[in-house]
Amino acid sequence: NKNNIKGEVEVIQDVTISIIGNSLGGLYSRYAIARLAAFSNNDDDKQDDGKDYVKNDRDQCDEKNIQFKPFLIDGNIRIHFNTFCSTATPHLGVSGHTYLPLPRTAEVGIGSLMGQTGKDIFRMSPLIKSMCTNEAYLKPLGLFRKRIAYANGYHTDFVVSTQSAAFLHPESTTPHHLSSSMDDQFAGEDGGRVI
């Protein structure tokens, strides 16, 4: 609780959220979380007209302008993050992860025909790389108590590959484990993720 300008006591309201995003909805959710983090952590940086400072540029969320302090919105709403779940989400984009191998020129053509979303998911813009490597997108995910990425079995999803949906990049240094049943533990002894 704190006093406002008029001397009235403002009560802090606790809100718990869980987010579920399917396919592109998972990417949109991750982007929205980064924007929310930028908004809530820079509450004092609002412009005089009352509009929030968050820029609409697609790659303007960067780790230099985000300091992770308690998640408060409008000074009286405290956000608690419960579960983030994505299903068949192209976290690594679809370039190089298509069901049938496509030459890069075909990917560029298809991505261009699909507009900005196509350019993003075929990695013709820096957005997907930013969302996979930039702390401004990764730290907000770390605020969730649970993070789950569901992926379809290998070669069963025409649009989103298993590798992209389950963050299985060949250069990943995070160990991954295949789960044979739902009874398996959710983390390996080496801290790796069970998939």
Side-chain angles (χ1 to χ4, degrees), residues 17-144:
I17 64 170
S18 291
I19 295 176
I20 299 173
N22 179 57
S23 195
L24 280 177
L27 288 177
Y28 295 150
S29 298
R30 289 183 55 208
Y31 187 80
I33 295 163
R35 296 278 306 270
L36 180 62
F39 173 76
S40 68
N41 288 313
N42 291 295
D43 206 25
D44 299 331
D45 296 340
K46 289 192 175 193
Q47 299 171 359
D48 292 336
D49 61 1
K51 293 181 182 172
D52 64 288
Y53 73 95
V54 179
K55 297 176 181 162
N56 289 321
D57 298 331
R58 299 179 71 78
D59 7 0
Q60 285 302 315
C61 286
D62 87 20
E63 60 223 86
K64 294 176 190 139
N65 67 12
I66 293 183
Q67 299 171 5
F68 289 87
K69 42 190 175 180
F71 240 75
L72 252 123
I73 297 177
D74 290 337
N76 62 346
I77 301 172
R78 185 173 30 227
I79 304 289
H80 299 277
F81 294 93
N82 189 29
T83 303
F84 178 88
C85 178
S86 64
T87 60
T89 296
H91 293 289
L92 304 179
V94 295
S95 179
H97 297 288
T98 52
Y99 189 77
L100 300 171
L102 294 175
R104 182 65 179 154
T105 53
E107 290 181 347
V108 169
I110 294 168
S112 296
L113 287 173
M114 293 175 64
Q116 188 59 51
T117 298
K119 290 176 183 174
D120 292 338
I121 64 174
F122 277 101
R123 296 193 305 235
M124 296 163 56
S125 76
L127 183 61
I128 294 290
K129 182 176 182 181
S130 243
M131 290 180 74
C132 292
T133 59
N134 191 315
E135 290 295 313
Y137 294 102
L138 299 174
K139 276 192 173 184
L141 279 177
L143 297 172
F144 284 89

Side-chain angles (χ1 to χ4, degrees), residues 155-172:
H155 303 294
T156 61
D157 190 332
F158 183 75
V159 180
V160 180
S161 71
T162 303
Q163 295 88 340
S164 188
F167 297 95
L168 297 175
H169 192 274
E171 296 175 17
S172 174

Side-chain angles (χ1 to χ4, degrees), residues 169-188:
H169 192 274
E171 296 175 17
S172 174
T173 57
T174 302
H176 293 81
H177 308 279
L178 293 177
S179 173
S180 59
S181 77
M182 292 300 288
D183 297 329
D184 288 346
Q185 295 295 317
F186 287 104

